[in-house]
Amino acid sequence: MNIRFLETFVWVARLRSFSSAADKLCTTQAAVSNRIATLERDLGVRLFERDLRNVSLTPQGERALPQAETIVRLTEELRLTVTDANHLRGRIAIGTIDSIVYAWLPQLIEAVKRTYPDVDLDLTVDNSLNVSRQLLDGQLNLALIAGPVLAPECRNIDLCTYECHWFAAPHLGLHGRKLTLLDVVANPIFAFSKGSQPHQNVLRLLEAAGLDANLNLVRILNSNSLATITRLARDGMGVAVLPTGVAREMVERGELAQLDVDAELPPLHLHAVYREEPGSTLPGLIARMAAKVAAAEAQGTRRRLSPTDATPARAATHNK
């Protein structure tokens, strides 16, 4: 039985279209039709019901699809197992968020290039909501985001969990003492873009404390740029909500201090998400590689940034 014909069957079943499958496989619709007809003849059953508008699986096709997907996946895994990684070629589009870029994305890129030197990476940096949309639209092969993405065709792999805290420039004098949420919101709050998990978490804390962010009692400034948020916080323009892994180096340099606030922020759960597609295992391989890199970085962060390190050892100078 021809593996390529099985892969074609899987794509037609998923896309419900011979022409769309042909585009995905970079071939013609006639070639797709011939492959399916040959596969049906070999199996002795009809796999699809066809009319002018729709393509749907027959009951025999429904039963055959899971096994066909497994055969295609195992065939690709076998090929990758016995093939020299240096011979793997291709391009993979990865979408991610600023929090990962600042924490461990460089280590992941280095690991990918070391393991698969002929695989090219296209990177997109946006908020988790936009990245997940691009993944579902087929514009990205892999998403490294605050997830998960709950869609039948998506596989989610846990990467790590970031503890989130309040941070401010040391010269504001907010560190080293117990603060209430009211003490914190006396300053502008720098959060991520609207709709993001960190932004929603801040709103829930404010609501639970009876503080209305829509009555100018609380100034929340949103940005999808982590560089902007951290720069404004380091310059003493307000208090930032940041993952500890992102703020670690700035705390070590004395540019930011972690605040002791009685309103704890929920952690940020990061996931690698990819669509399970026949004949394409690179997204899954790189997702699992990302999980290893994230775990190593998380362990290093916990060692380097303990509660006793929250107050900088030296006074920071204010960058103007």
Side-chain angles (χ1 to χ4, degrees):
M1 188 176 297
N2 193 308
I3 297 298
R4 181 176 294 179
F5 292 1
L6 282 178
E7 182 180 349
T8 302
F9 163 57
V10 172
W11 276 118
V12 175
R14 287 191 174 188
L15 299 176
R16 295 293 195 269
S17 167
F18 279 63
S19 60
S20 297
D23 292 340
K24 189 71 177 181
L25 296 168
C26 300
T27 188
T28 65
Q29 185 171 340
V32 169
S33 296
N34 287 335
R35 292 176 189 177
I36 297 300
T38 301
L39 185 61
E40 289 178 327
R41 187 167 58 250
D42 289 344
L43 294 173
V45 298
R46 285 182 62 82
L47 298 171
F48 294 103
E49 296 290 353
R50 312 166 179 82
D51 57 37
L52 294 177
R53 295 183 179 179
N54 299 310
V55 173
S56 60
L57 287 165
T58 64
Q60 293 87 348
E62 293 280 2
R63 290 196 297 269
L65 180 59
Q67 290 179 300
E69 291 175 328
T70 299
I71 292 170
V72 171
R73 176 177 56 80
L74 291 176
T75 301
E76 179 66 11
E77 290 180 359
L78 173 62
R79 184 180 70 82
L80 291 174
T81 298
V82 301
T83 301
D84 185 351
N86 290 324
H87 294 161
L88 286 177
R89 300 177 183 275
R91 182 177 296 274
I92 181 170
I94 300 176
T96 189
I97 57 177
D98 261 345
S99 296
I100 290 177
V101 172
Y102 275 68
W104 46 261
L105 186 66
Q107 291 92 312
L108 174 61
I109 294 174
E110 181 181 352
V112 171
K113 297 309 294 182
R114 184 172 59 249
T115 308
Y116 308 116
D118 291 323
V119 172
D120 295 323
L121 304 180
D122 288 336
L123 294 176
T124 297
V125 181
D126 207 326
N127 60 52
S128 293
L129 184 60
N130 289 338
V131 170
S132 62
R133 285 173 178 167
Q134 293 176 59
L135 177 73
L136 294 174
D137 289 342
Q139 301 175 47
L140 298 172
N141 306 113
L142 175 63
L144 307 174
I145 56 175
V149 176
L150 302 179
E153 69 273 22
C154 288
R155 174 78 181 275
N156 292 273
I157 294 179
D158 289 334
L159 291 176
C160 58
T161 298
Y162 279 166
E163 297 297 327
C164 291
H165 293 284
W166 308 89
F167 293 89
H171 69 266
L172 287 183
L174 297 175
H175 63 283
R177 56 191 174 95
K178 193 71 174 181
L179 301 174
T180 66
L181 188 58
L182 196 59
D183 294 327
V184 173
V185 300
N187 303 273
I189 304 299
F190 299 118
F192 288 89
S193 54
K194 291 183 178 179
S196 66
Q197 281 190 30
H199 177 251
Q200 292 298 322
N201 290 338
V202 171
L203 293 183
R204 292 189 188 100
L205 285 178
L206 295 175
E207 182 179 1
L211 298 171
D212 191 340
N214 296 319
L215 296 178
N216 294 323
L217 297 177
V218 180
R219 292 164 290 170
I220 300 180
L221 308 179
N222 301 103
S223 175
N224 62 357
S225 169
L226 192 56
T228 299
I229 292 173
T230 55
R231 176 56 191 267
L232 292 173
R234 285 181 292 159
D235 283 353
M237 305 302 294
V239 176
V241 174
L242 297 171
T244 53
V246 171
R248 171 180 51 80
E249 291 186 357
M250 286 172 274
V251 170
E252 291 174 348
R253 293 195 298 264
E255 298 169 344
L256 288 177
Q258 183 175 315
L259 308 184
D260 184 7
V261 184
D262 62 6
E264 293 186 2
L265 292 157
L268 190 64
H269 301 288
L270 301 182
H271 291 79
V273 190
Y274 62 96
R275 300 174 67 179
E276 291 189 313
E277 298 182 337
S280 178
T281 57
L282 261 178
L285 291 172
I286 296 178
R288 288 186 283 273
M289 187 180 295
K292 293 180 180 178
V293 171
E297 179 64 19
Q299 290 175 357
T301 298
R302 283 194 293 269
R303 286 195 301 267
R304 289 188 294 260
L305 185 59
S306 65
T308 57
D309 297 324
T311 303
R314 59 181 177 81
T317 55
H318 177 37
N319 297 323
K320 301 197 175 183

